[in-house]
């Protein structure tokens, strides 16, 4: 029973599946901007919300994000806008929209912009409680914030969703084997439910050039399931050639970030415990960009059976070699599991005459992992040619279930 007013000023208030919550009539749940209110039911395990005085409403005054799925709500008054709910029944409620529509892309507007309503069937850009399938052989862009109750990306076609704006209210995301989700800004995106990346699916960010513009920054309020063959990949998405704090300044020199590049005298930069920087670019006139930045938080569990990588690039081309440094991987979660790959290594392509000229390793941190049960590869090495220095890996030994250094294993 909720007998008093609740004022949520930070973080997340979660009403769990299977729970029945009685709110005293006329009491109010107030949420501030930037907070998350989750009524997170499941099929066969609803969240039930009701008043202690049937017929007399309790109140919600929400200024933050609200996610409602599989809810049975009675006698509720939402005084601030609309709560868009999926798979929900309501009785004597105000400010609840429980009409969920299945939206599919048909390209009727002859553009590739999500926000053009005529591109959807039925017409109209998706609402926060619509179930959305985006399956088209195109890169879909945005010109305003986007909303959805659930999103399935790809299926039959190679589909990329590149969002320059933000995810306003976003529920669950499934990236299928033909889907790519690409963040094209550097703003933390709140996902109010789960994220699943199937085999062949990819989450990434747009490639940077000479300045820091793009990062992958996700705050997932549910679980992340990165399945075997799925990837969170920001390889070569950092600073371009000859750019960044640790950039190569001459031929035959590797770039620096968490570790120093070959013949590079610049200092390493960025945080050991909380890395957020991009990797720097090498000198190679072609592919020598640094690794990007993947900053990912999950309130629930994070299964890494696939790969999370932010490698520097190396491409053999000419006498002006020198390759990019690894980037940042920064993971926070209630429990990290899986046996996949987490890697932010320096780039190199060894020339039998010229040598490797590798980039330094990037930075990996599990500082925000509450329970670390991950058993896969963790690699922030420099180049395989062993001519550059490893980056950094931050692990909390009191949060790991085990830690064994084995012969032949890469750490």
């Amino acid at each position: 029973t909720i007998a008093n007013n609740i004022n949520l000023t930070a973080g997340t208030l979660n009403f769990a599946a299977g729970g029945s919550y009685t709110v005293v009539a006329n009491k109010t749940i107030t949420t501030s901007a930037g907070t998350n209110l989750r009524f997170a039911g499941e099929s066969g395990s609803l969240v039930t919300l009701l008043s202690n005085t049937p017929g007399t409403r309790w109140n919600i005054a929400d200024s933050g994000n609200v996610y409602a799925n599989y809810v049975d709500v009675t006698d509720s008054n939402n005084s601030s806008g609309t709560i868009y709910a999926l798979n929900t029944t309501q009785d004597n409620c105000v400010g609840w929209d429980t009409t969920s529509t299945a939206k599919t892309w048909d390209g009727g507007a002859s553009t590739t912009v999500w926000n053009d309503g005529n591109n959807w069937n039925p017409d109209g850009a998706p609402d926060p409680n619509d179930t959305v399938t985006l399956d088209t052989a195109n890169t879909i862009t945005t010109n305003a914030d986007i909303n959805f109750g659930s999103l399935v990306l790809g299926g039959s076609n190679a589909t990329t969703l590149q969002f320059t704006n933000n995810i306003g209210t976003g529920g669950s995301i499934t990236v299928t084997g033909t889907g790519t989700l690409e963040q094209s800004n550097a703003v933390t995106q709140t996902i109010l439910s789960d994220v699943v990346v199937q085999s062949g699916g990819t989450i990434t960010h747009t490639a940077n050039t000479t300045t820091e513009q793009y990062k992958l920054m996700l705050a997932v309020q549910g679980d992340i399931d990165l399945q075997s063959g799925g990837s969170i990949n920001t390889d070569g998405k950092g600073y371009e050639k000859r750019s960044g704090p640790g950039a190569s300044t001459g031929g035959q020199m590797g770039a620096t970030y968490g570790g120093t590049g070959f013949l590079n005298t610049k200092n390493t930069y960025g945080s050991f415990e909380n890395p957020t920087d991009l990797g720097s670019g090498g000198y190679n006139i072609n592919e020598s960009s640094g690794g990007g930045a993947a900053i990912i938080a999950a309130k629930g569990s994070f299964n890494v059976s696939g790969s999370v990588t932010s490698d520097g690039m190396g491409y053999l081309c000419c006498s002006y070699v020198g390759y990019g440094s690894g980037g940042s991987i920064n993971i926070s979660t209630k429990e990290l599991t899986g046996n996949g790959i987490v890697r932010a290594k320096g780039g190199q392509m060894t020339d039998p005459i010229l040598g490797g000229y590798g980039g330094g390793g990037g930075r990996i941190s599990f500082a925000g992992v509450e329970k670390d049960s991950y058993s896969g590869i963790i690699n922030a090495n420099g180049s395989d040619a062993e001519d550059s220095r490893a980056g950094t890996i931050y692990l909390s030994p009191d949060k790991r279930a085990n830690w064994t250094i084995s012969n032949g294993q890469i750490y």
Side-chain angles (χ1 to χ4, degrees), residues 305-317:
S305 293
S307 61
V308 183
T309 59
S310 186
D311 294 344
M313 299 301 289
Y315 180 80
L316 183 63
C317 76

Side-chain angles (χ1 to χ4, degrees), residues 342-361:
V342 179
R343 189 181 66 222
K345 67 183 295 295
Q348 102 292 324
M349 280 290 280
T350 302
D351 185 294
I353 298 174
L354 297 175
Y357 309 107

Side-chain angles (χ1 to χ4, degrees), residues 12 36-38 65-67 146 148-151 161 163 166-174 181 183 187-196 203 216-224 296-300:
T12 300
N36 303 300
L37 178 60
R38 299 181 73 241
N65 302 308
V66 181
Y67 173 75
I146 64 174
F148 51 85
S150 66
L151 170 64
L161 173 59
F163 59 95
N166 296 316
I167 297 174
T169 300
S172 64
I173 298 176
T174 300
L181 180 67
Q183 182 171 352
V187 178
T188 299
Q189 304 297 315
T190 299
I191 311 300
L192 294 170
S193 188
D194 302 329
V195 172
V196 176
I203 298 180
L216 179 61
M217 305 173 68
L218 301 180
V220 179
Q221 302 305 301
D223 300 327
I224 302 175
I296 304 169
K299 286 284 187 183

Side-chain angles (χ1 to χ4, degrees), residues 134-140 152-161 175-176 178-181 202:
L134 184 59
D135 185 10
T136 175
N138 290 290
T139 295
I140 304 305
V152 176
L153 186 58
S156 299
N157 297 285
T159 306
T160 297
L161 173 59
V175 183
T176 73
T178 65
T180 299
L181 180 67
T202 301

Side-chain angles (χ1 to χ4, degrees), residues 36-311:
N36 303 300
L37 178 60
R38 299 181 73 241
F39 303 107
E42 299 172 358
S43 178
S45 186
L46 303 180
V47 171
T48 302
L49 304 167
L50 65 159
S51 172
N52 74 323
T53 306
T56 304
R57 296 187 179 102
W58 56 277
N59 304 304
I60 298 175
D62 66 275
S63 297
N65 302 308
V66 181
Y67 173 75
N69 193 7
Y70 288 105
V71 180
D72 181 10
V73 56
T74 304
D75 296 325
S76 174
N77 173 44
N78 175 39
S79 61
S80 303
T82 303
I83 294 175
Y84 293 90
L86 291 79
N87 305 302
T88 293
T89 58
Q90 61 168 311
D91 182 41
N92 191 35
C93 294
V94 175
W96 285 73
D97 182 340
T98 57
T99 305
S100 178
T101 302
K103 297 270 187 174
T104 58
W105 182 272
D106 64 9
S110 299
T111 71
T112 55
V113 179
W114 173 292
N115 309 88
D116 287 348
N118 289 334
N119 279 327
W120 296 97
N121 180 24
D123 284 349
D127 285 330
N129 60 345
D130 288 340
T131 58
V132 178
T133 300
L134 184 59
D135 185 10
T136 175
N138 290 290
T139 295
I140 304 305
T141 60
T142 67
N143 61 16
D145 290 354
I146 64 174
N147 302 295
F148 51 85
S150 66
L151 170 64
V152 176
L153 186 58
S156 299
N157 297 285
T159 306
T160 297
L161 173 59
Q162 181 189 69
F163 59 95
T164 303
N165 306 91
N166 296 316
I167 297 174
T169 300
S172 64
I173 298 176
T174 300
V175 183
T176 73
T178 65
T180 299
L181 180 67
E182 178 180 333
Q183 182 171 352
S184 195
N185 60 34
V187 178
T188 299
Q189 304 297 315
T190 299
I191 311 300
L192 294 170
S193 188
D194 302 329
V195 172
V196 176
V197 185
Q198 298 176 353
S199 180
T202 301
I203 298 180
T204 187
H205 67 71
T206 301
N208 290 270
T209 55
T210 60
T211 60
E212 187 178 88
Q213 293 181 279
Y214 309 113
K215 297 179 180 180
L216 179 61
M217 305 173 68
L218 301 180
V220 179
Q221 302 305 301
D223 300 327
I224 302 175
D225 182 14
L226 181 60
Q227 298 176 1
S228 178
S231 68
I232 295 173
N233 183 327
T234 63
D235 295 350
K237 298 294 183 77
Y239 290 105
E240 69 175 15
K241 61 182 182 295
R242 308 175 191 177
S243 299
S248 303
T249 57
Q252 291 133 36
M253 179 187 296
T256 288
Y257 174 31
T260 54
F262 180 72
L263 294 181
N264 195 321
T265 60
K266 292 182 177 179
N267 293 328
T268 60
Y269 60 96
S271 171
F272 173 54
E273 184 175 352
N274 186 32
T276 61
D277 290 283
L278 304 173
S280 291
Y283 203 78
N284 190 321
I285 62 174
N286 288 333
E287 294 294 335
S288 61
S289 298
I295 304 158
I296 304 169
K299 286 284 187 183
S301 64
F302 187 174
N303 167 49
V304 181
S305 293
S307 61
V308 183
T309 59
S310 186
D311 294 344

